[in-house]
Amino acid sequence: MRWRNAILAGVGLVALAAPVSAKVTAPAGAKVFRLDGGGVTYAMGVDEKGYLQPLYWGSALAAGDPLISGDPVKTGDPIVLKAPGELSGFDPAGSVTLQEYPGQGEGLVSEPGVKALFADGNRDLVLKYRSHKVSGETLTVELADIRRPLFVTLTYTIDPATGIVARSARVRNGDARPVRVDQLAAAVLSLPVGDDYRLHYLTGRHAAEWTQKTVPIEAAATVLESRRGSTGHGNNPWFAIGREGLTSEEHGPVWYGALAWSGSFRISVGSDNLGRVRIAGGYNPYDFSWTLKPGETLDTPVFYAGYSGDGLGGASRTFHQFEVAHILPHGTKARLRPVLYNSWEATAFDVTEAGQMALAEKAAKIGVERFVVDDGWFGARNNDKAGLGDWTVNPTKFPNGLKPLIDRVKGLGMDFGLWVEPEMVNVDSDLYRAHPDWVMNFPDRPRTEGRNQLVLNLARTDVRDHLLGVLDKLVSENDIAFLKWDYNRNWTEAGWPEQPVADQQRVYVEYVRNLYYILSELRRRHPKLEIEACSGGGGRVDLGIIGLTDEVWPSDNTDPADRLTIQDGFTRAYPVAVMMAWVTDSPNWANTRVTSLDYRFLSSMQGGLGIGANLDKWADADFATARKWVAAYKTIRETVQRGSLYRLESPTGDNATSATMYVGQDKRQAVLFQMLHSSMWRDNPAAIHAQGLDPVRVYSVRNARRLGAARGRACAGRRGRTG
């Protein structure tokens, strides 16, 4: 089954034919809906007052298991889902009724699914069940306001293999007058009463992304958000929830989810006044509104939600399986990430044809498969103050164009890639001089530069079409296999003055939609082109951008010890299949730490291996070391990039080492990396207990120095220990 975000319209999800191992049921007259698949059940029902209430989300229930109190024993008897009454004068019935997707009205004090302002000033929105439809693994439920023609269609699709539910919402104005939407969630999720829930999330900053945090879920809500116009480094749109004392790395319940959106987002997690956990995620309402014209609709991105009974490790492995199969552009048929060389640390902006050819020859000798020229090849780009936006080859640096370099690279057995940053522009550029109105701006206000650049307003169709045109021309005229697509600043003056005032805040949605359009159309025109998503490292990593690119750059911090922590956090949410990791120079720029070349390779071999070091400064011994590790990586690449990841020791807390284990899909090969992360007093690490092996197989162990045995010693899978 291939799932696709209908991202060009920003709507829901389309499910194609699949093996029948998932089921959506809606018994006639019962108005109780169940989605079953992958060992998970998700259920909801319509109560006696017409509210759509969440009923269950967790491990699979049997077909006859009761969902609500008073479920009938005899099949066919009517099911009546009771609506709660007033709790007190401070808690009216509308505020204590647990709703699957509430409108902001009737005294609601928890996070709404949608908040609206009607043309007459009314802000009360009460949504009740109107109709539903089942098609394969997809359920759609339409809600409507009790008085006004405002409609919300909820879409649910369950994956048969993993039980992950894809949720989205569409709001439609059926009135003859406009309605302003001030807040819109893709989904609202619920968990039963409990005071032992713990929220896990990922936070950080530039060069310090993917830091793992765990906090209690309480009445004081935790808000994960970006107000930056893009996903941002600060909070990733992913969460996981466990239970204290029950949930560990490999055991216990975990509810998790991620929003497929590359713009400003908001996910709130907290408990209501009755102790029930509420999770809501979608567009960030900060500085946002969308005025729906009569008959107009607004669609949310997709919110993916899953459950695992096998701890945080089981949750991430299940999510990785789903992401590779259904989010990556080519799914399970996607090409394994080639070993890459990037020229940035060697040359920075001092890019020349001769210099790049010399680097390419050295890269080819160590087994590199893709050679990428970074910043500095275009326009008047001799530093970061000029040239950005002028995507034509610099004639001084490449007097014969890129063809001689590309031919040489391909002759050496590598394919060729280029760095681009299409969404940005320098003031000192031909593009800005010709179109100063193309950047985001407010009239008569400053235009704040970041890294000496401004943000082009991709929400404008003329800007979108221009960028698609120049990129299409660049790829068409040159044999380019790969683009490293960068994005090196966030928004400041997010103005769109050409639009009517009521429509200017649409920029937060239209920008991202047009970014997705460019990527999608560029890929359609050039089916073999591969793209890496980068934003000063991990500043724009989410399921929206992953669905249109082939790999992502997790962090500009390439220190190999820091990367162990970064990679540990990254893989909580996203698969190793897209995670690039480079070997760069020592001391590292981020923290001046000195590490051996062996250590740097072993850290980077736990993802998609890349090399960004200055090869012009390497000694013969360095090249020999690199050749050894590149050759070794190619023998384990499929297992690392496509296998199941087990975190035997995370590089956090008191652990002196980091230990990760990758087990191939057929369990014929497994790879263990155990690396010193931090230690004191010459600590002697404890034995590592392997996980995920086939207990009936006998494995031949290579490079296991501490086993004290010859290369190739046989070990039974059931033994499960190395040391």
Side-chain angles (χ1 to χ4, degrees):
M1 182 172 74
R2 289 291 296 134
W3 287 18
R4 270 294 196 197
N5 290 329
I7 49 179
L8 302 187
V11 63
L13 189 127
V14 177
L16 304 182
V20 182
S21 54
K23 184 168 64 173
V24 178
T25 55
K31 295 182 183 175
V32 172
F33 313 115
R34 278 184 57 158
L35 295 91
D36 292 277
V40 175
T41 297
Y42 188 101
M44 72 205 83
V46 181
D47 70 20
E48 59 187 347
K49 293 184 178 179
Y51 295 104
L52 184 64
Q53 290 196 34
L55 298 179
Y56 181 83
W57 177 28
S59 58
L61 300 176
D65 286 349
L67 287 169
I68 61 175
S69 176
D71 248 358
V73 176
K74 292 173 58 180
T75 302
D77 286 353
I79 301 174
V80 179
L81 179 58
K82 297 294 185 180
E86 175 183 281
L87 185 63
S88 72
F90 302 100
D91 299 291
S95 72
V96 297
T97 300
L98 196 61
Q99 298 181 55
E100 178 75 0
Y101 194 89
Q104 180 62 58
E106 203 177 16
L108 183 78
V109 292
S110 60
E111 199 73 18
V114 58
K115 180 181 178 183
L117 172 66
F118 292 90
D120 62 358
N122 172 56
R123 300 191 306 279
D124 186 66
L125 177 62
V126 179
L127 296 174
K128 294 191 177 183
Y129 169 85
R130 189 165 184 256
S131 65
H132 71 272
K133 179 181 179 182
V134 176
S135 177
E137 294 92 26
T138 298
L139 166 71
T140 56
V141 180
E142 186 176 69
L143 310 177
D145 180 60
I146 55 175
R147 298 285 177 83
R148 308 294 179 94
L150 188 75
F151 307 97
V152 175
T153 300
L154 306 178
T155 300
Y156 303 76
T157 302
I158 189 164
D159 176 38
T162 64
I164 289 172
V165 177
R167 289 193 53 183
S168 61
R170 165 179 287 184
V171 59
R172 176 171 64 88
N173 178 18
D175 204 347
R177 294 184 294 177
V179 176
R180 193 182 76 196
V181 175
D182 292 323
Q183 186 168 343
L184 186 64
V188 179
L189 301 162
S190 304
L191 296 176
V193 172
D195 60 3
D196 60 348
Y197 290 106
R198 297 295 180 264
L199 170 67
H200 303 262
Y201 65 97
L202 300 165
T203 185
R205 53 179 170 78
H206 176 246
E209 303 94 328
W210 311 105
T211 301
Q212 300 177 55
K213 299 288 186 183
T214 303
V215 297
I217 297 179
E218 298 175 336
T222 299
V223 175
L224 312 176
E225 68 172 351
S226 169
R227 301 181 177 188
R228 301 170 180 267
S230 68
T231 321
H233 298 81
N235 296 296
N236 193 263
W238 168 91
F239 75 91
I241 295 173
R243 305 198 79 152
E244 188 176 29
L246 295 177
T247 303
S248 64
E249 178 66 23
E250 293 298 332
H251 303 283
V254 177
W255 297 264
Y256 59 94
L259 184 68
W261 185 242
S262 308
S264 294
F265 72 91
R266 185 174 189 264
I267 297 175
S268 66
V269 183
S271 58
D272 64 16
N273 61 335
L274 297 181
R276 302 167 299 192
V277 173
R278 302 286 279 164
I279 307 116
Y283 298 129
N284 196 326
Y286 172 81
D287 194 35
F288 171 78
S289 71
W290 186 293
T291 300
L292 287 170
K293 299 174 177 62
E296 188 181 10
T297 61
L298 175 60
D299 302 304
T300 72
V302 178
F303 203 138
Y304 295 95
Y307 171 81
S308 171
D310 297 320
L312 293 162
S316 65
R317 287 189 293 275
T318 300
F319 209 20
H320 294 172
Q321 176 189 345
F322 173 82
E323 290 164 328
V324 169
H326 303 305
I327 302 296
L328 268 63
H330 299 291
T332 55
K333 296 180 180 179
R335 177 188 181 188
L336 295 174
R337 295 298 84 218
V339 178
L340 172 151
Y341 180 77
N342 181 285
S343 67
W344 174 252
E345 287 201 7
T347 60
F349 296 104
D350 188 19
V351 176
T352 65
E353 180 182 292
Q356 297 296 307
M357 282 187 179
L359 284 170
E361 289 168 1
K362 294 171 182 175
K365 290 178 181 178
I366 59 176
V368 166
E369 299 160 319
R370 169 169 289 164
F371 183 84
V372 181
V373 177
D374 208 277
D375 200 350
W377 60 269
F378 57 91
R381 191 68 167 174
N382 298 311
N383 52 54
D384 63 11
K385 296 179 174 62
L388 200 58
D390 300 335
W391 300 107
T392 55
V393 179
N394 184 299
T396 302
K397 299 179 179 184
F398 296 93
N400 302 303
L402 292 174
K403 189 175 188 305
L405 174 60
I406 295 174
D407 288 347
R408 182 58 181 148
V409 166
K410 291 179 70 66
L412 291 166
M414 302 178 288
D415 65 27
F416 180 79
L418 276 181
W419 178 95
V420 293
E421 192 175 5
E423 299 160 74
M424 304 293 168
V425 66
N426 288 127
V427 172
D428 186 4
S429 67
D430 293 340
L431 180 65
Y432 186 81
R433 283 185 282 271
H435 299 285
D437 56 320
W438 278 12
V439 300
M440 289 186 183
N441 72 95
F442 291 115
D444 195 34
R445 302 297 299 174
R447 298 187 177 190
T448 303
E449 296 184 23
R451 196 177 181 256
N452 303 301
Q453 59 198 52
L454 297 170
V455 184
L456 290 168
N457 185 0
L458 264 65
R460 293 177 53 137
T461 55
D462 51 356
V463 175
R464 179 200 69 187
D465 294 344
H466 167 79
L467 293 180
L468 176 60
V470 296
L471 292 170
D472 180 42
K473 185 173 186 289
L474 177 68
V475 176
S476 297
E477 294 180 352
N478 299 279
D479 192 357
I480 295 170
F482 174 81
L483 293 176
K484 181 179 175 68
W485 186 301
D486 216 338
Y487 177 92
N488 276 312
R489 63 157 293 180
N490 294 130
W491 298 6
T492 47
E493 297 80 21
W496 190 0
E498 295 79 15
Q499 287 289 95
V501 171
D503 294 336
Q504 290 185 10
Q505 288 164 300
R506 292 185 179 215
V507 67
Y508 286 98
V509 173
E510 296 289 16
Y511 181 105
V512 180
R513 285 182 176 177
N514 282 344
L515 168 65
Y516 289 170
Y517 173 83
I518 294 170
L519 289 167
S520 179
E521 181 63 14
L522 195 62
R523 297 184 70 101
R524 187 192 68 79
R525 297 181 187 183
H526 305 279
K528 295 182 180 180
L529 178 68
E530 294 191 340
I531 301 172
E532 177 183 283
C534 174
S535 176
R540 190 165 62 187
V541 178
D542 56 80
L543 293 184
I545 206 75
I546 288 174
L548 289 164
T549 56
D550 302 276
E551 62 191 50
V552 299
W553 183 231
S555 179
D556 281 349
N557 183 346
T558 55
D559 173 76
D562 285 354
R563 267 301 180 110
L564 296 176
T565 302
I566 287 167
Q567 291 165 187
D568 188 69
F570 179 95
T571 56
R572 294 290 171 185
Y574 304 111
V576 179
V578 301
M579 181 182 73
M580 295 303 294
W582 290 3
V583 175
T584 57
D585 289 323
S586 179
N588 190 270
W589 74 268
N591 53 24
T592 70
R593 195 195 321 262
V594 176
T595 52
S596 70
L597 189 56
D598 289 313
Y599 189 93
R600 282 176 269 156
F601 263 99
L602 287 166
S603 176
S604 297
M605 288 165 64
Q606 297 177 56
L609 178 61
I611 299 162
N614 186 351
L615 301 183
D616 290 335
K617 294 184 177 180
W618 274 16
D620 290 345
D622 297 324
F623 283 99
T625 297
R627 279 193 295 272
K628 174 189 71 175
W629 287 122
V630 169
Y633 178 73
K634 291 177 181 178
T635 69
I636 62 172
R637 169 167 42 192
E638 184 170 0
T639 296
V640 169
Q641 295 186 18
R642 291 288 195 274
S644 297
L645 169 62
Y646 293 84
R647 302 175 190 86
L648 308 186
E649 282 191 353
S650 288
T652 56
D654 297 327
N655 290 336
T657 67
S658 167
T660 56
M661 189 164 186
Y662 304 80
V663 181
Q665 295 180 35
D666 60 4
K667 296 185 182 292
R668 294 180 62 86
Q669 185 185 64
V671 185
L672 170 66
F673 294 87
Q674 185 179 17
M675 303 182 66
L676 185 67
H677 187 257
S678 60
S679 67
M680 295 179 66
W681 319 120
R682 299 179 68 184
D683 290 337
N684 185 22
I688 292 294
H689 293 260
Q691 295 183 32
L693 300 177
D694 184 342
V696 302
R697 289 187 185 275
V698 175
Y699 291 87
S700 175
V701 180
R702 293 181 295 158
N703 295 330
R705 300 172 187 170
R706 299 195 63 201
L707 282 177
R711 183 183 178 94
R713 175 178 173 177
C715 293
R718 65 179 178 274
R719 182 180 181 185
R721 186 180 73 180
T722 63

